Amino acid sequence: MSASAPHSGPRLPPIAMVDAEISDGADSDLSDIEGYESEHELLQAMGLSRDCSVAPPFSDDGSQVAAIGEILGDIDGEASEDHWETDSLLEDSLDELRTEDFGEGADVCTPDEVKELRALLKRLGVVKFIHEVINERGMTRRKCLTAFKFKEPNWTIGTEDSNLTQFLQVVLRSEINRRTRIPGINSVEHVVKLLLEAENIIVLTGAGISTSLGIPDFRSKDKGLYARLTDLGLNDPQEVFDIDVFTDDPTIFYSIAKDILPDSKRFSPTHAFIKLLQTKNKLLTQYTQNIDNLEISAGIKPEKLIQCHGSFATASCVKCKYKVPGETIYPELKRCMVARCERCLGELAANNVTGKKRKRRRSKSSDQSKKKRYSEDSSAEEEEMNFREAGIMKPDITFFGEQLPDTFHSRLVGHDKAKVDLLVCIGSSLKVAPVSEIIGFLPPTVPQIYISREKVNHLEFDVELLGSCDEVVVELCRRASWDLKHEMIPKPRPEMKVDRIIDENDKDANRFSFTIKDNNKKKSVVTTEELANSTMNGDEKLKRVTNGVA
């Protein structure tokens, strides 16, 4: 898969948030931390479940929200070891409750109130904000939640407003660390200008930049990899990428590996766009969550690339750490067979031969036919035993429970933060920590652009360009008068329809949809998946790609 690695992030120590600033008003009086056996227990305690259905209310002593507050980041608190994984799960659950449609008759904050309350939260912090808005002004908690585009959990509907106190605290603590948009950057023209003027661009990529190649992403509801894994008998489909599960039973991962294995070195127009930024000496670093290694195929220099979740480029023995090119185990991955370490097998076989010679010297005499039969049987048994004892080969992709490469932290903290002048995030849902933390870690003066099919609600970008990643970058290059070349880009290029998405609650709406003006004639990008499923011969397919007709 182009796979941006598994859905919630690996269990990692937090990024060293050097020079990160939090408002003095953000101090919290939440204390008396109470631990939980699992992140699922934590979510249940805060009144949330996977589907945001009925869950028990918070306790009166505030211990649950204190634990949640610690996870979300008290300014003087230490993050727990599973901080990033729990943070991702919490963000997923909160995301289910974000909405812009509160229904008829709901008491909803006006656009002016929204703007004022968000600024007030940043200035006062959570505790003082609640005192000012809820206690002094008398605003209901339900109405206050709408200022941050949240609806209440199902279990509080029809109950006293006070039951929302701790949930409101959770929302506010999440929102206070949310990035604030830079005024004056809210159009496609601004994006083009930024691309032309920027000299040190960070590009953060996810699975969406490879889906036009027929490689599935993880999180799409119908076609994503996780949606296909419901029959594996796991509590959660993402356990297929848990290092503990892999250690206990590697056959689970190997049963699905063929679905995420890159079957060619072909890359997408979006990959070509990033290479173009490099050619123009504008690319500072590409941080990719993908494990398909197509960035290398596209020509991104290794010194410009951080593969945050590893890749299929290499594989290592979990026992002796012997490393081989990833293609060495492709045959086993494609056949859903567990690959064993050749070096382990060789050493075990050599040890068996040595043991036999010693045994033979001690042996006096024996029946020759019996010896021959024994030799044949024992040889097969020894070979099978060697196979079982040999180490398992694991692609060098980052599983849950494994550390990200050291280069991720050192590059971001020690090099890129001081130099970056533009961030462009392409094709990522940004649900995987700590990679998603890059957004809030960069200086607030650095413009940030988002390109993907689906909008993000839990993070704030200056401009969001919604559509096929390939089609969006092709249009940006056209407007910048850049010559982006790729076989999947049709000639002539179809005209793109770009519309601002109107938001009644946001006077400075910053989202734009990208669609082809006349879909009945030509598509802007012909996907390799469409070509692979067609009955055309090779010459016809090449002609279709060149002319952009599908």
Side-chain angles (χ1 to χ4, degrees):
M1 138 170 90
S2 93
S4 85
H7 139 130
S8 68
R11 304 179 188 94
L12 303 168
I15 295 174
M17 293 298 182
V18 182
D19 297 329
E21 295 181 359
I22 300 178
S23 166
D24 290 338
D27 289 333
S28 171
D29 60 358
L30 302 175
S31 55
D32 302 323
I33 306 300
E34 178 180 332
Y36 290 88
E37 293 297 321
S38 70
E39 60 273 6
H40 301 289
E41 187 178 336
L42 174 64
L43 294 174
Q44 186 181 39
M46 60 177 279
L48 294 172
S49 60
R50 284 284 185 188
D51 59 357
C52 299
S53 56
V54 176
F58 292 103
S59 64
D60 294 332
D61 63 6
S63 58
Q64 288 97 331
V65 75
I68 298 162
E70 182 188 38
I71 293 298
L72 287 173
D74 288 333
I75 61 173
D76 55 357
E78 292 291 331
S80 61
E81 288 183 0
D82 61 351
H83 164 84
W84 298 117
E85 183 176 11
T86 307
D87 198 39
S88 294
L89 286 165
L90 177 62
E91 197 57 64
D92 275 350
S93 294
L94 288 178
D95 202 39
E96 293 289 336
L97 295 173
R98 287 186 171 91
T99 185
E100 296 180 11
D101 181 13
F102 296 97
E104 267 187 64
D107 190 10
V108 178
C109 290
T110 66
D112 287 339
E113 286 177 320
V114 168
K115 189 173 182 179
E116 191 258 338
L117 289 177
R118 290 186 173 189
L120 190 65
L121 175 63
K122 293 282 186 180
R123 182 165 59 85
L124 296 181
V126 174
V127 176
K128 293 178 181 177
F129 175 89
I130 290 176
H131 178 76
E132 167 70 22
V133 176
I134 307 299
N135 298 344
E136 295 294 327
R137 299 187 190 181
M139 180 179 286
T140 66
R141 295 160 184 82
R142 285 183 172 86
K143 181 176 180 178
C144 186
L145 284 171
T146 68
F148 305 97
K149 297 184 179 179
F150 274 92
K151 62 181 180 181
E152 62 179 301
N154 289 346
W155 69 268
T156 66
I157 295 176
T159 68
E160 293 291 329
D161 187 70
S162 59
N163 285 335
L164 282 163
T165 298
Q166 289 159 330
F167 177 68
L168 177 62
Q169 289 175 318
V170 172
V171 169
L172 296 178
R173 186 157 298 282
S174 175
E175 290 293 313
I176 200 169
N177 294 319
R178 190 180 175 101
R179 177 181 179 271
T180 302
R181 269 191 262 163
I182 299 175
I185 301 177
N186 62 356
S187 70
V188 178
E189 289 72 21
H190 290 142
V191 174
V192 174
K193 187 173 185 290
L194 288 168
L195 287 171
L196 289 169
E197 295 178 352
E199 297 179 349
N200 291 290
I201 302 175
I202 286 180
V203 179
L204 173 57
T205 56
I209 72 169
S210 296
T211 52
S212 62
L213 301 171
I215 302 173
D217 63 17
F218 280 92
R219 304 175 62 83
S220 295
K221 291 184 179 179
D222 299 320
K223 297 182 179 180
L225 179 69
Y226 289 148
R228 305 180 187 179
L229 304 183
T230 54
D231 59 347
L232 287 181
L234 301 171
N235 293 327
D236 190 321
Q238 62 196 9
E239 287 181 3
V240 76
F241 294 105
D242 189 292
I243 190 60
D244 293 332
V245 173
F246 182 88
T247 302
D248 291 341
D249 186 2
T251 62
I252 294 176
F253 169 77
Y254 270 88
S255 70
I256 61 94
K258 66 180 186 301
D259 295 326
I260 61 176
L261 189 67
D263 58 2
S264 75
K265 295 183 178 180
R266 194 171 187 185
F267 52 89
S268 72
T270 304
H271 289 98
F273 167 73
I274 301 166
K275 169 65 184 316
L276 183 61
L277 293 178
Q278 176 180 273
T279 301
K280 292 181 175 293
N281 294 318
K282 291 177 174 288
L283 181 64
L284 179 61
T285 306
Q286 179 184 359
Y287 290 83
T288 180
Q289 299 172 88
N290 297 342
I291 57 180
D292 52 30
N293 205 41
L294 294 182
E295 293 81 14
I296 297 297
S297 300
I300 302 301
K301 297 175 182 177
E303 62 268 27
K304 293 280 188 182
L305 178 65
I306 301 295
Q307 293 177 309
C308 305
H309 298 143
S311 78
F312 278 102
T314 58
S316 299
C317 172
V318 297
K319 181 179 285 188
C320 74
K321 310 306 178 186
Y322 179 56
K323 189 183 291 286
V324 300
E327 293 180 354
T328 305
I329 66 169
Y330 276 17
E332 286 84 357
L333 291 169
K334 290 177 180 178
R335 296 198 306 270
C336 301
M337 295 176 61
V338 176
R340 298 283 176 166
C341 175
E342 289 296 330
R343 186 166 78 174
C344 286
L345 287 170
E347 290 177 353
L348 288 166
N351 291 338
N352 288 339
V353 170
T354 302
K356 281 183 181 179
K357 287 180 179 178
R358 290 173 180 166
K359 194 171 184 181
R360 203 172 288 131
R361 290 194 192 102
R362 291 196 303 267
S363 176
K364 300 278 186 173
S365 63
S366 61
D367 180 78
Q368 293 298 316
S369 62
K370 182 178 179 182
K371 182 177 180 181
K372 184 177 181 181
R373 281 199 311 275
Y374 175 79
S375 176
E376 290 173 349
D377 292 343
S378 63
S379 177
E381 289 175 3
E382 286 166 0
E383 190 173 326
E384 184 178 345
M385 185 178 297
N386 288 347
F387 187 81
R388 288 199 302 267
E389 291 183 4
I392 295 163
M393 298 302 293
K394 172 185 167 295
D396 290 331
I397 59 179
T398 305
F399 277 53
F400 295 128
E402 293 187 303
Q403 295 282 341
L404 262 67
D406 292 339
T407 51
F408 171 79
H409 299 88
S410 60
R411 177 84 179 191
L412 179 63
V413 177
H415 182 266
D416 290 352
K417 182 183 179 184
K419 292 187 175 183
V420 61
D421 56 11
L422 176 64
L423 171 81
V424 181
C425 178
I426 315 178
S428 174
S429 62
L430 293 168
K431 296 293 182 65
V432 182
V435 176
S436 61
E437 303 295 327
I438 293 175
I439 306 304
F441 178 65
L442 298 181
T445 55
V446 175
Q448 298 190 11
I449 310 303
Y450 183 74
I451 300 172
S452 194
R453 284 192 179 277
E454 303 293 334
K455 64 183 180 180
V456 288
N457 290 316
H458 63 289
L459 294 168
E460 199 76 64
F461 287 88
D462 297 303
V463 184
E464 295 183 30
L465 310 179
L466 306 180
S468 158
C469 296
D470 292 341
E471 292 174 355
V472 172
V473 299
V474 167
E475 176 64 12
L476 291 177
C477 286
R478 185 191 69 78
R479 294 184 180 216
S481 298
W482 288 353
D483 187 17
L484 178 62
K485 295 180 179 179
H486 193 280
E487 61 180 4
M488 290 167 62
I489 301 174
K491 298 176 182 178
R493 299 180 185 180
E495 191 174 354
M496 186 71 66
K497 186 172 184 286
V498 180
D499 294 314
R500 187 185 292 270
I501 300 173
I502 303 301
D503 182 350
E504 294 180 357
N505 294 317
D506 186 355
K507 295 177 181 178
D508 299 316
N510 65 337
R511 288 172 175 159
F512 298 83
S513 64
F514 282 63
T515 55
I516 303 304
K517 274 198 172 179
D518 189 352
N519 285 313
N520 294 322
K521 290 184 179 180
K522 292 184 180 180
K523 301 179 70 173
S524 73
V525 173
V526 182
T527 70
T528 55
E529 186 177 25
E530 291 170 326
L531 292 175
N533 293 333
S534 75
T535 58
M536 296 180 287
N537 62 38
D539 290 339
E540 288 174 328
K541 288 182 180 181
L542 180 60
K543 183 178 179 182
R544 291 275 174 157
V545 170
T546 304
N547 293 331
V549 180

